[in-house]
Amino acid sequence: SVTTITFTGTGILTSTIVNDEFDLHPSGTNFDVIIEGYTSIGSSAFFNNQRVISVSVGDSVQTISSAAFQGCVILRSAILGNSVTTIGNEAFYSSTSLGSINIPNSVTTIGVNAFNDCRLTSINIPNSVTFIGARAFRKTYLETVTIPNSITIIQFETFINCGRLTSVIIPNSVTSIEQSAFRECNRLTSITIPDSVTSIGYGAFRLCSRLTSITIPDSVTNIGTNTFVDCSKLITVVIKNASKITGINTSSFGNVSANLNSSITFKTIFNLSGLSATWQTIASYYATQVYEPTITFPNLNVVYGAAPQQIEYESNSTGSVTFTSSDEAIATINGLYITFVGAGICTITLLQEATTNYSEATSVAICTVKTNPTIEFPNINVVYGVAPQQIFYESNSTGSVTFT
């Protein structure tokens, strides 16, 4: 049977209070728990409790202390009030049936192992959270994760062994992806590392067996040992500036190129000569040099009414190009031709697709379409000796005028 228990009080809700209340009920009774009035749920308050099915935390509670609900194996859902600021270390650790919880906007800290080994399939982490502890979401059922832009470090093993994780969004606030952060996330096929990241730790993506591509931005200066070891389907690695990556180990990509029937292509936007010996060893598997194309795309200056014309550009890449107009009330694009439909200024963007040896690139030109002004400038008829007078004219242009 299931009954509802409401814990009402002040200060800290302790394990003694909880156990005394549960002892009043016969064995075999499970509980929906409501907590009101208390400001803190104490350490281990419901530790290894086998009778709690759900918990609703009132708005008075500010802290869920360490191990507060650890090992509550039949706990299925938790609703947290809008005053909770801290979810402590191991708060819900090994609550293996926990599939649903909300993180209110008041929360700033999610502790070490907070949801380790829970059944969570989704989580909304608000921007109020500034710290997510090591192993906080280890071995959960999460499928997608958006890390808030208040986080700067993805800690040790935060998402290790999340075997259902297919999508991760890392914001530009993150500077470091720590050791084994995404290890054994074996449904992760791709991930975008933002330009803010400077360090990728030991084994950060190890055993991500479905990861097929990765781009290392030019902000990265350190890649740890075994970072991509055993990523057996990794076939494309884009290194944007290897010369900046001073911390690198030959085993960072172990069992990728040499083993597991996989080959790796380093698309490097730099000249391979002059690199460190370690990079030379890594690149020796197979290196394709991919350069930034040089594009000349001049501005356009025309008078309204001009005939459509072919857009002129020059590039040392053979990639196909497309053009777009920022304002189709001024200029429209049809293939490689531009038509001027109104006066004004807009931008024309050239997008050139990547080729084997050149990366994708864009270039922007300013398009200025002018109209001839309408000027009324009457003849002047006077008698010699008349006093000097102002010259009168009318124009729909505000341009300055001179007379000769």
Side-chain angles (χ1 to χ4, degrees):
S1 63
V2 178
T3 189
T4 298
I5 291 182
T6 300
F7 290 94
T8 303
T10 59
I12 301 174
L13 176 60
T14 65
S15 59
T16 299
I17 297 172
V18 171
N19 292 332
D20 286 349
E21 176 63 32
F22 281 5
D23 287 344
L24 299 175
H25 298 268
S27 60
T29 303
N30 295 329
F31 303 101
D32 294 318
V33 171
I34 299 172
I35 301 171
E36 296 177 345
Y38 292 98
T39 56
S40 174
I41 302 173
S43 297
S44 303
F46 293 85
F47 181 79
N48 275 351
N49 192 293
Q50 311 295 306
R51 305 175 72 181
V52 178
I53 293 177
S54 70
V55 60
S56 177
V57 176
D59 288 341
S60 61
V61 176
Q62 300 171 18
T63 302
I64 301 174
S65 299
S66 60
F69 296 94
Q70 181 176 339
C72 294
V73 294
I74 69 168
L75 177 64
R76 299 171 187 168
S77 65
I79 299 173
L80 306 187
N82 291 323
S83 298
V84 173
T85 60
T86 301
I87 301 173
N89 298 343
E90 290 89 35
F92 294 90
Y93 185 21
S94 289
S95 293
T96 53
S97 298
L98 182 63
S100 173
I101 192 169
N102 67 304
I103 309 293
N105 290 329
S106 54
V107 172
T108 61
T109 299
I110 298 174
V112 174
N113 285 316
F115 298 101
N116 187 341
D117 200 17
C118 291
R119 201 180 178 86
L120 295 175
T121 57
S122 64
I123 195 77
N124 180 26
I125 307 172
N127 287 331
S128 59
V129 175
T130 58
F131 177 82
I132 300 174
R135 297 194 184 101
F137 295 98
R138 172 190 173 271
K139 204 177 177 182
T140 58
Y141 286 33
L142 293 175
E143 297 176 0
T144 63
V145 169
T146 298
I147 297 169
N149 58 21
S150 48
I151 294 296
T152 58
I153 298 175
I154 301 175
Q155 302 283 347
F156 170 77
E157 294 187 353
T158 301
F159 297 98
I160 188 173
N161 202 15
C162 289
R164 302 189 181 193
L165 189 62
T166 60
S167 173
V168 177
I169 297 176
I170 302 175
N172 284 326
S173 59
V174 171
T175 60
S176 179
I177 300 172
E178 298 288 277
Q179 178 178 334
S180 299
F182 295 96
R183 178 173 171 164
E184 296 178 68
C185 294
N186 52 30
R187 292 193 183 182
L188 199 60
T189 58
S190 66
I191 192 165
T192 299
I193 299 174
D195 290 338
S196 56
V197 172
T198 60
S199 178
I200 304 173
Y202 176 97
F205 296 94
R206 184 172 186 171
L207 286 164
C208 290
S209 57
R210 297 188 188 183
L211 190 67
T212 59
S213 65
I214 192 82
T215 297
I216 310 296
D218 58 12
S219 57
V220 172
T221 58
N222 180 73
I223 297 178
T225 304
N226 295 332
T227 303
F228 298 100
V229 163
D230 295 322
C231 294
S232 56
K233 293 187 178 180
L234 185 62
I235 58 174
T236 302
V237 177
V238 179
I239 310 288
K240 287 199 170 180
N241 195 343
S243 60
K244 288 180 65 177
I245 303 176
T246 55
I248 183 69
N249 189 289
T250 54
S251 65
S252 294
F253 295 90
N255 292 345
V256 174
S257 297
N259 301 304
L260 302 175
N261 298 317
S262 177
S263 63
I264 184 168
T265 300
F266 279 81
K267 293 186 175 181
T268 53
I269 305 175
F270 64 95
N271 192 326
L272 289 175
S273 64
L275 292 179
S276 67
T278 301
W279 270 119
Q280 294 285 4
T281 301
I282 294 172
S284 67
Y285 287 123
Y286 187 85
T288 300
Q289 296 185 59
V290 177
Y291 301 95
E292 295 279 4
T294 301
I295 300 174
T296 303
F297 187 30
N299 294 332
L300 297 167
N301 292 281
V302 298
V303 176
Y304 176 64
Q309 59 185 254
Q310 185 172 349
I311 301 173
E312 296 182 357
Y313 74 96
E314 292 182 359
S315 175
N316 55 357
S317 170
T318 58
S320 61
V321 297
T322 55
F323 300 92
T324 55
S325 170
S326 65
D327 190 340
E328 294 192 342
I330 297 172
T332 59
I333 307 294
N334 182 14
L336 298 178
Y337 285 83
I338 183 170
T339 300
F340 310 104
V341 296
I345 298 175
C346 65
T347 58
I348 307 300
T349 300
L350 177 157
L351 173 64
Q352 186 163 38
E353 293 183 358
T355 65
T356 301
N357 295 108
Y358 288 94
S359 64
E360 180 182 275
T362 60
S363 185
V364 176
I366 304 298
C367 175
T368 303
V369 183
K370 297 181 178 180
T371 59
N372 287 320
T374 301
I375 301 174
E376 294 184 8
F377 188 29
N379 295 331
I380 301 172
N381 295 284
V382 296
V383 175
Y384 175 68
V386 71
Q389 60 184 255
Q390 183 177 347
I391 300 173
F392 290 99
Y393 74 97
E394 291 185 0
S395 174
N396 57 357
S397 170
T398 58
S400 61
V401 297
T402 59
F403 301 94
T404 56

